[in-house]
Amino acid sequence: MLTVTGLVRHFQAMHSGSVPVRAVDGVSFTLADGELVGLTGESGCGKSTLARTLLRLVEPTSGTVELDGTQVTALSRSGLRKFRPRMQLISQDPESAFNPRNKIGESVAEPFRVLHGVSLKKAIEMSEDYLSMAGFDMELVERYPFELSGGQIQRAAVARALACRPSLIVADEPTSSLDPSAQAQIAQTFQRINSEHGISLLWISHDLPLLSCVCDRIAVMHAGKIVECGPPGDITIRPVHHATRSPTDIMSATLSDRPPVGVLNEEFYRESQYRAARDSSGTTVRPQNTYSPFTGLQTDDKTRSRHT
């Protein structure tokens, strides 16, 4: 379980006497084991800085981060190095995270070489299960990063993160540079990993309709603070803060005024409304089968046809 309390990260401006930039300003939230939480907000609100501060890729100004009972913010450099495999980052530009001189199979196998000290051949064999888990085509393991599509290399990044057997994965806009089909595939991969392996996932994205479909909760960030957090239905249909109302109003207008490209946004929005339904106990009703907006699979008693 991840517990963040009063996390702050300020940056001092270059000019003397200027006011520090409050990139992350007193953020507190929890992320349960196996929970998938979305984080959204306008550009420049501090989402990526929060992600890197959580993982101590950027040192916090103040506040605490606790993962599975360990105070991450209190770890020494050597202690953090040992703890690092338990919290992984999937970046927005996965190609920049791969050594262009190494084949994909070698890069994904690297955690096994570093953590277990095995040979490259043995490490590649050990990594095959994680590549399959991420839906990566095994015929591509001998290719270099520049030879893969955006979706393929993103799957390789997911596989490498899984190879460390983490408790927490932070995905920083992993689908922003992908086409709708690849976005759907990555979304399905994250859902499967989350449900089958119980890994906590913080998914950062500007795509509120996408988050509303796949996440258990959505948090909205504005000016370095989390201003709203709740079930997808509350955020997309009954937003409270003005930072949330703007994108949801635009989304609603888009859906009512014209059919979206590929009808994908409409399907996402309908799915978010379906998931927002409440049962008598007040808990969120989730579809019983697999992720459907792109695949056209049945969810409960409703069948959604594939749009082309």
Side-chain angles (χ1 to χ4, degrees), residues 1-37:
M1 180 174 181
L2 175 71
T3 304
V4 180
T5 307
L7 194 64
V8 174
R9 175 59 194 183
H10 293 171
F11 293 96
Q12 185 61 48
M14 296 294 292
H15 304 288
S16 60
S18 57
V19 178
V21 177
R22 300 175 180 268
V24 178
D25 197 14
V27 170
S28 300
F29 68 94
T30 60
L31 182 59
D33 294 339
E35 188 177 21
L36 201 166
V37 172

PDB file of all heavy atoms in Angstrom, residues 1-37:
ATOM      1  N   MET A   1       0.845  -1.196   0.000  1.00  0.00           N
ATOM      2  CA  MET A   1       0.000   0.000   0.000  1.00  0.00           C
ATOM      3  C   MET A   1       0.881   1.246   0.000  1.00  0.00           C
ATOM      4  O   MET A   1       1.897   1.308   0.707  1.00  0.00           O
ATOM      5  CB  MET A   1      -0.916   0.002   1.217  1.00  0.00           C
ATOM      6  CG  MET A   1      -1.834   1.223   1.296  1.00  0.00           C
ATOM      7  SD  MET A   1      -3.000   1.094   2.658  1.00  0.00           S
ATOM      8  CE  MET A   1      -3.902   2.625   2.442  1.00  0.00           C
ATOM      9  N   LEU A   2       0.495   2.216  -0.814  1.00  0.00           N
ATOM     10  CA  LEU A   2       1.225   3.479  -0.911  1.00  0.00           C
ATOM     11  C   LEU A   2       0.482   4.548  -0.108  1.00  0.00           C
ATOM     12  O   LEU A   2      -0.722   4.742  -0.288  1.00  0.00           O
ATOM     13  CB  LEU A   2       1.346   3.911  -2.373  1.00  0.00           C
ATOM     14  CG  LEU A   2       1.986   5.290  -2.617  1.00  0.00           C
ATOM     15  CD1 LEU A   2       3.475   5.251  -2.308  1.00  0.00           C
ATOM     16  CD2 LEU A   2       1.750   5.732  -4.069  1.00  0.00           C
ATOM     17  N   THR A   3       1.212   5.227   0.760  1.00  0.00           N
ATOM     18  CA  THR A   3       0.648   6.328   1.534  1.00  0.00           C
ATOM     19  C   THR A   3       1.528   7.561   1.363  1.00  0.00           C
ATOM     20  O   THR A   3       2.712   7.533   1.712  1.00  0.00           O
ATOM     21  CB  THR A   3       0.550   5.978   3.031  1.00  0.00           C
ATOM     22  OG1 THR A   3      -0.218   4.781   3.192  1.00  0.00           O
ATOM     23  CG2 THR A   3      -0.111   7.101   3.807  1.00  0.00           C
ATOM     24  N   VAL A   4       0.948   8.612   0.808  1.00  0.00           N
ATOM     25  CA  VAL A   4       1.663   9.869   0.583  1.00  0.00           C
ATOM     26  C   VAL A   4       1.067  10.919   1.516  1.00  0.00           C
ATOM     27  O   VAL A   4      -0.146  11.126   1.521  1.00  0.00           O
ATOM     28  CB  VAL A   4       1.545  10.322  -0.880  1.00  0.00           C
ATOM     29  CG1 VAL A   4       2.298  11.626  -1.096  1.00  0.00           C
ATOM     30  CG2 VAL A   4       2.061   9.237  -1.817  1.00  0.00           C
ATOM     31  N   THR A   5       1.917  11.587   2.293  1.00  0.00           N
ATOM     32  CA  THR A   5       1.448  12.551   3.279  1.00  0.00           C
ATOM     33  C   THR A   5       2.202  13.873   3.137  1.00  0.00           C
ATOM     34  O   THR A   5       3.427  13.922   3.320  1.00  0.00           O
ATOM     35  CB  THR A   5       1.639  12.014   4.713  1.00  0.00           C
ATOM     36  OG1 THR A   5       1.033  10.721   4.833  1.00  0.00           O
ATOM     37  CG2 THR A   5       1.012  12.960   5.730  1.00  0.00           C
ATOM     38  N   GLY A   6       1.455  14.922   2.808  1.00  0.00           N
ATOM     39  CA  GLY A   6       2.015  16.271   2.754  1.00  0.00           C
ATOM     40  C   GLY A   6       3.237  16.408   1.877  1.00  0.00           C
ATOM     41  O   GLY A   6       4.184  17.140   2.220  1.00  0.00           O
ATOM     42  N   LEU A   7       3.242  15.757   0.722  1.00  0.00           N
ATOM     43  CA  LEU A   7       4.419  15.770  -0.160  1.00  0.00           C
ATOM     44  C   LEU A   7       4.575  17.141  -0.825  1.00  0.00           C
ATOM     45  O   LEU A   7       3.626  17.671  -1.410  1.00  0.00           O
ATOM     46  CB  LEU A   7       4.308  14.669  -1.211  1.00  0.00           C
ATOM     47  CG  LEU A   7       5.590  14.351  -1.979  1.00  0.00           C
ATOM     48  CD1 LEU A   7       6.663  13.815  -1.043  1.00  0.00           C
ATOM     49  CD2 LEU A   7       5.315  13.343  -3.085  1.00  0.00           C
ATOM     50  N   VAL A   8       5.768  17.675  -0.731  1.00  0.00           N
ATOM     51  CA  VAL A   8       6.062  19.015  -1.266  1.00  0.00           C
ATOM     52  C   VAL A   8       7.341  18.942  -2.094  1.00  0.00           C
ATOM     53  O   VAL A   8       8.327  18.317  -1.691  1.00  0.00           O
ATOM     54  CB  VAL A   8       6.231  20.047  -0.130  1.00  0.00           C
ATOM     55  CG1 VAL A   8       6.691  21.400  -0.679  1.00  0.00           C
ATOM     56  CG2 VAL A   8       4.934  20.204   0.649  1.00  0.00           C
ATOM     57  N   ARG A   9       7.304  19.586  -3.247  1.00  0.00           N
ATOM     58  CA  ARG A   9       8.521  19.770  -4.043  1.00  0.00           C
ATOM     59  C   ARG A   9       8.501  21.174  -4.638  1.00  0.00           C
ATOM     60  O   ARG A   9       7.667  21.481  -5.502  1.00  0.00           O
ATOM     61  CB  ARG A   9       8.635  18.725  -5.143  1.00  0.00           C
ATOM     62  CG  ARG A   9       9.831  18.952  -6.078  1.00  0.00           C
ATOM     63  CD  ARG A   9      11.166  18.943  -5.354  1.00  0.00           C
ATOM     64  NE  ARG A   9      12.234  19.473  -6.196  1.00  0.00           N
ATOM     65  CZ  ARG A   9      13.511  19.528  -5.837  1.00  0.00           C
ATOM     66  NH1 ARG A   9      13.882  19.098  -4.652  1.00  0.00           N
ATOM     67  NH2 ARG A   9      14.416  20.023  -6.647  1.00  0.00           N
ATOM     68  N   HIS A  10       9.384  22.026  -4.151  1.00  0.00           N
ATOM     69  CA  HIS A  10       9.506  23.385  -4.653  1.00  0.00           C
ATOM     70  C   HIS A  10      10.823  23.528  -5.401  1.00  0.00           C
ATOM     71  O   HIS A  10      11.824  22.900  -5.042  1.00  0.00           O
ATOM     72  CB  HIS A  10       9.465  24.396  -3.495  1.00  0.00           C
ATOM     73  CG  HIS A  10       8.135  24.453  -2.798  1.00  0.00           C
ATOM     74  ND1 HIS A  10       7.926  25.147  -1.631  1.00  0.00           N
ATOM     75  CD2 HIS A  10       6.949  23.899  -3.112  1.00  0.00           C
ATOM     76  CE1 HIS A  10       6.665  25.008  -1.247  1.00  0.00           C
ATOM     77  NE2 HIS A  10       6.054  24.252  -2.128  1.00  0.00           N
ATOM     78  N   PHE A  11      10.806  24.343  -6.431  1.00  0.00           N
ATOM     79  CA  PHE A  11      12.014  24.631  -7.201  1.00  0.00           C
ATOM     80  C   PHE A  11      12.345  26.108  -7.067  1.00  0.00           C
ATOM     81  O   PHE A  11      11.455  26.961  -7.247  1.00  0.00           O
ATOM     82  CB  PHE A  11      11.814  24.284  -8.684  1.00  0.00           C
ATOM     83  CG  PHE A  11      11.651  22.814  -8.947  1.00  0.00           C
ATOM     84  CD1 PHE A  11      10.390  22.248  -9.051  1.00  0.00           C
ATOM     85  CD2 PHE A  11      12.760  21.995  -9.077  1.00  0.00           C
ATOM     86  CE1 PHE A  11      10.227  20.893  -9.299  1.00  0.00           C
ATOM     87  CE2 PHE A  11      12.609  20.635  -9.326  1.00  0.00           C
ATOM     88  CZ  PHE A  11      11.344  20.088  -9.434  1.00  0.00           C
ATOM     89  N   GLN A  12      13.585  26.382  -6.765  1.00  0.00           N
ATOM     90  CA  GLN A  12      14.009  27.777  -6.643  1.00  0.00           C
ATOM     91  C   GLN A  12      14.256  28.352  -8.030  1.00  0.00           C
ATOM     92  O   GLN A  12      14.959  27.743  -8.850  1.00  0.00           O
ATOM     93  CB  GLN A  12      15.287  27.876  -5.808  1.00  0.00           C
ATOM     94  CG  GLN A  12      15.732  29.304  -5.518  1.00  0.00           C
ATOM     95  CD  GLN A  12      14.688  30.081  -4.717  1.00  0.00           C
ATOM     96  OE1 GLN A  12      14.188  29.586  -3.715  1.00  0.00           O
ATOM     97  NE2 GLN A  12      14.357  31.279  -5.178  1.00  0.00           N
ATOM     98  N   ALA A  13      13.671  29.508  -8.305  1.00  0.00           N
ATOM     99  CA  ALA A  13      13.862  30.158  -9.598  1.00  0.00           C
ATOM    100  C   ALA A  13      15.299  30.648  -9.735  1.00  0.00           C
ATOM    101  O   ALA A  13      16.034  30.805  -8.742  1.00  0.00           O
ATOM    102  CB  ALA A  13      12.880  31.311  -9.763  1.00  0.00           C
ATOM    103  N   MET A  14      15.710  30.888 -10.965  1.00  0.00           N
ATOM    104  CA  MET A  14      17.093  31.276 -11.234  1.00  0.00           C
ATOM    105  C   MET A  14      17.420  32.651 -10.667  1.00  0.00           C
ATOM    106  O   MET A  14      18.541  32.905 -10.232  1.00  0.00           O
ATOM    107  CB  MET A  14      17.336  31.263 -12.748  1.00  0.00           C
ATOM    108  CG  MET A  14      17.209  29.884 -13.382  1.00  0.00           C
ATOM    109  SD  MET A  14      18.498  28.754 -12.822  1.00  0.00           S
ATOM    110  CE  MET A  14      19.931  29.516 -13.570  1.00  0.00           C
ATOM    111  N   HIS A  15      16.449  33.576 -10.674  1.00  0.00           N
ATOM    112  CA  HIS A  15      16.707  34.934 -10.232  1.00  0.00           C
ATOM    113  C   HIS A  15      16.634  35.018  -8.715  1.00  0.00           C
ATOM    114  O   HIS A  15      15.729  34.471  -8.083  1.00  0.00           O
ATOM    115  CB  HIS A  15      15.701  35.896 -10.869  1.00  0.00           C
ATOM    116  CG  HIS A  15      15.687  35.827 -12.363  1.00  0.00           C
ATOM    117  ND1 HIS A  15      16.717  36.318 -13.136  1.00  0.00           N
ATOM    118  CD2 HIS A  15      14.783  35.306 -13.228  1.00  0.00           C
ATOM    119  CE1 HIS A  15      16.440  36.114 -14.419  1.00  0.00           C
ATOM    120  NE2 HIS A  15      15.280  35.501 -14.501  1.00  0.00           N
ATOM    121  N   SER A  16      17.575  35.691  -8.109  1.00  0.00           N
ATOM    122  CA  SER A  16      17.587  35.841  -6.655  1.00  0.00           C
ATOM    123  C   SER A  16      16.391  36.657  -6.203  1.00  0.00           C
ATOM    124  O   SER A  16      15.987  37.633  -6.851  1.00  0.00           O
ATOM    125  CB  SER A  16      18.889  36.521  -6.218  1.00  0.00           C
ATOM    126  OG  SER A  16      19.002  37.805  -6.801  1.00  0.00           O
ATOM    127  N   GLY A  17      15.825  36.262  -5.083  1.00  0.00           N
ATOM    128  CA  GLY A  17      14.693  36.989  -4.531  1.00  0.00           C
ATOM    129  C   GLY A  17      13.355  36.612  -5.120  1.00  0.00           C
ATOM    130  O   GLY A  17      12.316  37.110  -4.672  1.00  0.00           O
ATOM    131  N   SER A  18      13.339  35.744  -6.133  1.00  0.00           N
ATOM    132  CA  SER A  18      12.076  35.349  -6.753  1.00  0.00           C
ATOM    133  C   SER A  18      11.381  34.283  -5.911  1.00  0.00           C
ATOM    134  O   SER A  18      11.996  33.595  -5.103  1.00  0.00           O
ATOM    135  CB  SER A  18      12.307  34.828  -8.175  1.00  0.00           C
ATOM    136  OG  SER A  18      13.220  33.759  -8.144  1.00  0.00           O
ATOM    137  N   VAL A  19      10.088  34.142  -6.115  1.00  0.00           N
ATOM    138  CA  VAL A  19       9.290  33.192  -5.353  1.00  0.00           C
ATOM    139  C   VAL A  19       9.532  31.779  -5.891  1.00  0.00           C
ATOM    140  O   VAL A  19       9.551  31.576  -7.105  1.00  0.00           O
ATOM    141  CB  VAL A  19       7.798  33.549  -5.461  1.00  0.00           C
ATOM    142  CG1 VAL A  19       6.937  32.530  -4.718  1.00  0.00           C
ATOM    143  CG2 VAL A  19       7.545  34.953  -4.921  1.00  0.00           C
ATOM    144  N   PRO A  20       9.731  30.781  -5.008  1.00  0.00           N
ATOM    145  CA  PRO A  20       9.938  29.401  -5.480  1.00  0.00           C
ATOM    146  C   PRO A  20       8.725  28.885  -6.248  1.00  0.00           C
ATOM    147  O   PRO A  20       7.582  29.273  -5.985  1.00  0.00           O
ATOM    148  CB  PRO A  20      10.127  28.618  -4.175  1.00  0.00           C
ATOM    149  CG  PRO A  20      10.535  29.624  -3.165  1.00  0.00           C
ATOM    150  CD  PRO A  20       9.839  30.891  -3.551  1.00  0.00           C
ATOM    151  N   VAL A  21       8.992  28.016  -7.212  1.00  0.00           N
ATOM    152  CA  VAL A  21       7.919  27.385  -7.983  1.00  0.00           C
ATOM    153  C   VAL A  21       7.373  26.212  -7.172  1.00  0.00           C
ATOM    154  O   VAL A  21       8.114  25.273  -6.846  1.00  0.00           O
ATOM    155  CB  VAL A  21       8.438  26.896  -9.349  1.00  0.00           C
ATOM    156  CG1 VAL A  21       7.320  26.184 -10.114  1.00  0.00           C
ATOM    157  CG2 VAL A  21       8.984  28.050 -10.159  1.00  0.00           C
ATOM    158  N   ARG A  22       6.083  26.244  -6.846  1.00  0.00           N
ATOM    159  CA  ARG A  22       5.462  25.198  -6.037  1.00  0.00           C
ATOM    160  C   ARG A  22       4.914  24.113  -6.961  1.00  0.00           C
ATOM    161  O   ARG A  22       3.718  24.042  -7.229  1.00  0.00           O
ATOM    162  CB  ARG A  22       4.345  25.786  -5.166  1.00  0.00           C
ATOM    163  CG  ARG A  22       4.828  26.859  -4.211  1.00  0.00           C
ATOM    164  CD  ARG A  22       3.673  27.517  -3.454  1.00  0.00           C
ATOM    165  NE  ARG A  22       4.162  28.531  -2.542  1.00  0.00           N
ATOM    166  CZ  ARG A  22       4.466  28.305  -1.266  1.00  0.00           C
ATOM    167  NH1 ARG A  22       4.327  27.064  -0.779  1.00  0.00           N
ATOM    168  NH2 ARG A  22       4.915  29.266  -0.497  1.00  0.00           N
ATOM    169  N   ALA A  23       5.806  23.261  -7.455  1.00  0.00           N
ATOM    170  CA  ALA A  23       5.403  22.234  -8.420  1.00  0.00           C
ATOM    171  C   ALA A  23       4.489  21.198  -7.782  1.00  0.00           C
ATOM    172  O   ALA A  23       3.502  20.760  -8.381  1.00  0.00           O
ATOM    173  CB  ALA A  23       6.638  21.556  -9.009  1.00  0.00           C
ATOM    174  N   VAL A  24       4.830  20.752  -6.581  1.00  0.00           N
ATOM    175  CA  VAL A  24       3.991  19.848  -5.792  1.00  0.00           C
ATOM    176  C   VAL A  24       3.839  20.504  -4.429  1.00  0.00           C
ATOM    177  O   VAL A  24       4.845  20.791  -3.764  1.00  0.00           O
ATOM    178  CB  VAL A  24       4.623  18.446  -5.654  1.00  0.00           C
ATOM    179  CG1 VAL A  24       3.750  17.548  -4.796  1.00  0.00           C
ATOM    180  CG2 VAL A  24       4.844  17.823  -7.032  1.00  0.00           C
ATOM    181  N   ASP A  25       2.611  20.740  -4.017  1.00  0.00           N
ATOM    182  CA  ASP A  25       2.374  21.602  -2.856  1.00  0.00           C
ATOM    183  C   ASP A  25       1.437  20.942  -1.848  1.00  0.00           C
ATOM    184  O   ASP A  25       0.237  21.195  -1.835  1.00  0.00           O
ATOM    185  CB  ASP A  25       1.792  22.939  -3.335  1.00  0.00           C
ATOM    186  CG  ASP A  25       1.887  24.036  -2.279  1.00  0.00           C
ATOM    187  OD1 ASP A  25       2.620  23.851  -1.298  1.00  0.00           O
ATOM    188  OD2 ASP A  25       1.222  25.071  -2.454  1.00  0.00           O
ATOM    189  N   GLY A  26       1.982  20.045  -1.036  1.00  0.00           N
ATOM    190  CA  GLY A  26       1.196  19.438   0.035  1.00  0.00           C
ATOM    191  C   GLY A  26       0.230  18.367  -0.433  1.00  0.00           C
ATOM    192  O   GLY A  26      -0.937  18.354  -0.040  1.00  0.00           O
ATOM    193  N   VAL A  27       0.706  17.433  -1.242  1.00  0.00           N
ATOM    194  CA  VAL A  27      -0.147  16.371  -1.786  1.00  0.00           C
ATOM    195  C   VAL A  27      -0.218  15.200  -0.817  1.00  0.00           C
ATOM    196  O   VAL A  27       0.811  14.731  -0.319  1.00  0.00           O
ATOM    197  CB  VAL A  27       0.377  15.898  -3.151  1.00  0.00           C
ATOM    198  CG1 VAL A  27      -0.351  14.635  -3.612  1.00  0.00           C
ATOM    199  CG2 VAL A  27       0.221  17.000  -4.188  1.00  0.00           C
ATOM    200  N   SER A  28      -1.433  14.727  -0.561  1.00  0.00           N
ATOM    201  CA  SER A  28      -1.654  13.549   0.291  1.00  0.00           C
ATOM    202  C   SER A  28      -2.681  12.639  -0.374  1.00  0.00           C
ATOM    203  O   SER A  28      -3.717  13.124  -0.835  1.00  0.00           O
ATOM    204  CB  SER A  28      -2.149  13.955   1.684  1.00  0.00           C
ATOM    205  OG  SER A  28      -1.220  14.782   2.353  1.00  0.00           O
ATOM    206  N   PHE A  29      -2.391  11.350  -0.439  1.00  0.00           N
ATOM    207  CA  PHE A  29      -3.348  10.373  -0.953  1.00  0.00           C
ATOM    208  C   PHE A  29      -2.852   8.975  -0.613  1.00  0.00           C
ATOM    209  O   PHE A  29      -1.711   8.796  -0.172  1.00  0.00           O
ATOM    210  CB  PHE A  29      -3.564  10.512  -2.465  1.00  0.00           C
ATOM    211  CG  PHE A  29      -2.369  10.152  -3.304  1.00  0.00           C
ATOM    212  CD1 PHE A  29      -2.227   8.869  -3.828  1.00  0.00           C
ATOM    213  CD2 PHE A  29      -1.382  11.091  -3.575  1.00  0.00           C
ATOM    214  CE1 PHE A  29      -1.126   8.532  -4.599  1.00  0.00           C
ATOM    215  CE2 PHE A  29      -0.274  10.764  -4.346  1.00  0.00           C
ATOM    216  CZ  PHE A  29      -0.155   9.482  -4.865  1.00  0.00           C
ATOM    217  N   THR A  30      -3.708   7.997  -0.810  1.00  0.00           N
ATOM    218  CA  THR A  30      -3.337   6.595  -0.597  1.00  0.00           C
ATOM    219  C   THR A  30      -3.651   5.793  -1.856  1.00  0.00           C
ATOM    220  O   THR A  30      -4.526   6.168  -2.641  1.00  0.00           O
ATOM    221  CB  THR A  30      -4.090   5.976   0.595  1.00  0.00           C
ATOM    222  OG1 THR A  30      -5.502   6.038   0.343  1.00  0.00           O
ATOM    223  CG2 THR A  30      -3.767   6.714   1.886  1.00  0.00           C
ATOM    224  N   LEU A  31      -2.942   4.703  -2.022  1.00  0.00           N
ATOM    225  CA  LEU A  31      -3.147   3.798  -3.151  1.00  0.00           C
ATOM    226  C   LEU A  31      -3.083   2.380  -2.593  1.00  0.00           C
ATOM    227  O   LEU A  31      -2.027   1.934  -2.143  1.00  0.00           O
ATOM    228  CB  LEU A  31      -2.070   4.023  -4.212  1.00  0.00           C
ATOM    229  CG  LEU A  31      -2.143   3.204  -5.504  1.00  0.00           C
ATOM    230  CD1 LEU A  31      -3.466   3.449  -6.212  1.00  0.00           C
ATOM    231  CD2 LEU A  31      -0.980   3.565  -6.426  1.00  0.00           C
ATOM    232  N   ALA A  32      -4.222   1.696  -2.592  1.00  0.00           N
ATOM    233  CA  ALA A  32      -4.302   0.371  -1.987  1.00  0.00           C
ATOM    234  C   ALA A  32      -3.625  -0.677  -2.868  1.00  0.00           C
ATOM    235  O   ALA A  32      -3.378  -0.450  -4.065  1.00  0.00           O
ATOM    236  CB  ALA A  32      -5.763  -0.012  -1.750  1.00  0.00           C
ATOM    237  N   ASP A  33      -3.324  -1.825  -2.294  1.00  0.00           N
ATOM    238  CA  ASP A  33      -2.747  -2.926  -3.055  1.00  0.00           C
ATOM    239  C   ASP A  33      -3.696  -3.326  -4.183  1.00  0.00           C
ATOM    240  O   ASP A  33      -4.881  -3.564  -3.963  1.00  0.00           O
ATOM    241  CB  ASP A  33      -2.503  -4.131  -2.143  1.00  0.00           C
ATOM    242  CG  ASP A  33      -1.440  -3.863  -1.095  1.00  0.00           C
ATOM    243  OD1 ASP A  33      -0.637  -2.940  -1.302  1.00  0.00           O
ATOM    244  OD2 ASP A  33      -1.417  -4.571  -0.064  1.00  0.00           O
ATOM    245  N   GLY A  34      -3.172  -3.412  -5.386  1.00  0.00           N
ATOM    246  CA  GLY A  34      -3.979  -3.832  -6.523  1.00  0.00           C
ATOM    247  C   GLY A  34      -4.949  -2.790  -7.029  1.00  0.00           C
ATOM    248  O   GLY A  34      -5.794  -3.095  -7.866  1.00  0.00           O
ATOM    249  N   GLU A  35      -4.834  -1.551  -6.568  1.00  0.00           N
ATOM    250  CA  GLU A  35      -5.749  -0.494  -7.011  1.00  0.00           C
ATOM    251  C   GLU A  35      -5.157   0.247  -8.194  1.00  0.00           C
ATOM    252  O   GLU A  35      -3.947   0.458  -8.287  1.00  0.00           O
ATOM    253  CB  GLU A  35      -6.025   0.489  -5.872  1.00  0.00           C
ATOM    254  CG  GLU A  35      -7.109   1.509  -6.206  1.00  0.00           C
ATOM    255  CD  GLU A  35      -7.433   2.436  -5.040  1.00  0.00           C
ATOM    256  OE1 GLU A  35      -6.580   2.555  -4.133  1.00  0.00           O
ATOM    257  OE2 GLU A  35      -8.523   3.028  -5.035  1.00  0.00           O
ATOM    258  N   LEU A  36      -6.022   0.664  -9.118  1.00  0.00           N
ATOM    259  CA  LEU A  36      -5.618   1.425 -10.291  1.00  0.00           C
ATOM    260  C   LEU A  36      -6.212   2.823 -10.164  1.00  0.00           C
ATOM    261  O   LEU A  36      -7.423   2.994 -10.243  1.00  0.00           O
ATOM    262  CB  LEU A  36      -6.096   0.732 -11.570  1.00  0.00           C
ATOM    263  CG  LEU A  36      -5.381   1.064 -12.878  1.00  0.00           C
ATOM    264  CD1 LEU A  36      -5.746   0.036 -13.955  1.00  0.00           C
ATOM    265  CD2 LEU A  36      -5.716   2.452 -13.390  1.00  0.00           C
ATOM    266  N   VAL A  37      -5.363   3.805  -9.956  1.00  0.00           N
ATOM    267  CA  VAL A  37      -5.805   5.190  -9.753  1.00  0.00           C
ATOM    268  C   VAL A  37      -5.283   6.053 -10.889  1.00  0.00           C
ATOM    269  O   VAL A  37      -4.101   5.981 -11.253  1.00  0.00           O
ATOM    270  CB  VAL A  37      -5.320   5.733  -8.395  1.00  0.00           C
ATOM    271  CG1 VAL A  37      -5.617   7.225  -8.268  1.00  0.00           C
ATOM    272  CG2 VAL A  37      -5.978   4.977  -7.250  1.00  0.00           C
TER     273      VAL A  37
END
